[in-house]
Amino acid sequence: DGMLIWTVCPPLKWCREKNKCQTNFHCWRKDKYGLVMLAICDHRTKFRWLDISEPGRMSDYASWIKTDLASQLDADALMSQILRTGHTLIGDNAFVKKMYMAVPFPGTGIEVSQDAYNFHLSQLRITIERAFGILVHRWGILRKPLNVHIGRVSALVTCLCRLHNYCIDSGLPALSRTSEEDERSIHRVARQRSVRRGGISMAAVNLDRHARPADLLDGGNHFSDCQ
């Protein structure tokens, strides 16, 4: 699967070095700038392969087909050297079914057996989402736009992924409990909003009339289909 590595809007000088323009790095769906990170993980959420080379405007599939791994897997002679017999990669609907890639059946009017297949596939596919979530939770710098040269983002995030794998091998907990300081910060924000709006609600996140979390910063366009 893929995730967006959030960065600041790259200056024109950085873009010229990559032979790109600023809009190439803008992901409309998230309304953020960054690079696409494609990754493969195992059942332990350890990253086994990743690629961080395409700008945020690219889709997951368009980024995938440009990787060396995709080309190697498409070559039958090399596929057997990369994947064990009887094993396959698992992708979402953004990818295309291949001998080496299992994807869900598309659409809603599918047979019961196909729906069951999709369900069990989703239970496996969610592992990569967990891996992304653990990575971002573990390394807080990924929760904000990286203010580093666009050419150094790949090396930085690759290092974080290697440390992520090291933490798993060392038996460190994937997620820590919410600290007392975090709890106090949440309640402080809720009190400030309650006083500012003259209400009595203690909610830290408020929903608008369409039940969308409009107060979330940099929400992007995830909820545009609710209009």
Side-chain angles (χ1 to χ4, degrees):
D1 201 359
M3 69 171 284
L4 181 73
I5 301 299
W6 189 12
T7 71
V8 297
C9 176
L12 291 176
K13 179 182 178 181
W14 297 358
C15 295
R16 294 192 186 99
E17 293 175 6
K18 289 289 186 177
N19 197 27
K20 305 285 185 181
C21 60
Q22 288 177 320
T23 55
N24 289 134
F25 294 93
H26 183 259
C27 174
W28 182 87
R29 183 170 61 87
K30 294 183 178 295
D31 196 20
K32 296 176 180 178
Y33 290 90
L35 293 172
V36 175
M37 178 175 104
L38 293 174
I40 299 172
C41 75
D42 62 17
H43 64 288
R44 299 175 60 201
T45 68
K46 285 183 61 176
F47 292 107
R48 295 298 185 177
W49 173 88
L50 58 88
D51 178 88
I52 312 169
S53 57
E54 296 302 320
R57 188 176 182 178
M58 296 282 284
S59 67
D60 290 350
Y61 181 68
S63 301
W64 164 252
I65 60 177
K66 296 181 69 173
T67 64
D68 292 338
L69 180 60
S71 300
Q72 293 168 359
L73 288 172
D74 280 327
D76 294 337
L78 295 176
M79 184 177 67
S80 60
Q81 300 176 23
I82 298 172
L83 288 176
R84 294 180 180 178
T85 303
H87 289 68
T88 182
L89 301 179
I90 298 173
D92 57 22
N93 282 322
F95 297 89
V96 176
K97 182 175 69 174
K98 298 273 189 176
M99 287 294 294
Y100 58 82
M101 178 82 72
V103 299
F105 286 101
T108 56
I110 56 179
E111 299 177 0
V112 175
S113 59
Q114 294 174 332
D115 184 61
Y117 169 85
N118 284 356
F119 170 77
H120 289 291
L121 195 70
S122 70
Q123 300 305 297
L124 298 173
R125 199 175 66 244
I126 201 173
T127 307
I128 187 64
E129 303 292 352
R130 290 177 51 227
F132 289 152
I134 294 170
L135 179 72
V136 174
H137 182 89
R138 183 170 267 148
W139 313 117
I141 61 172
L142 297 178
R143 303 177 202 163
K144 298 180 179 180
L146 295 175
N147 190 13
V148 299
H149 193 288
I150 203 71
R152 298 175 181 172
V153 172
S154 178
L156 170 61
V157 179
T158 298
C159 180
L160 296 180
C161 290
R162 290 180 179 274
L163 289 173
H164 163 93
N165 289 352
Y166 174 79
C167 290
I168 294 175
D169 288 336
S170 300
L172 298 178
L175 300 175
S176 60
R177 295 177 62 86
T178 303
S179 67
E180 293 183 3
E181 182 179 354
D182 290 336
E183 294 283 357
R184 288 195 296 270
S185 297
I186 292 172
H187 286 291
R188 183 173 64 253
V189 170
R191 285 195 298 271
Q192 291 172 348
R193 291 185 173 182
S194 177
V195 172
R196 185 166 60 248
R197 298 176 182 180
I200 59 174
S201 172
M202 292 298 290
V205 176
N206 294 278
L207 304 180
D208 64 11
R209 62 188 181 89
H210 298 293
R212 299 173 300 184
D215 290 335
L216 291 179
L217 183 64
D218 297 304
N221 300 288
H222 294 281
F223 300 93
S224 59
D225 57 346
C226 298
Q227 299 289 354

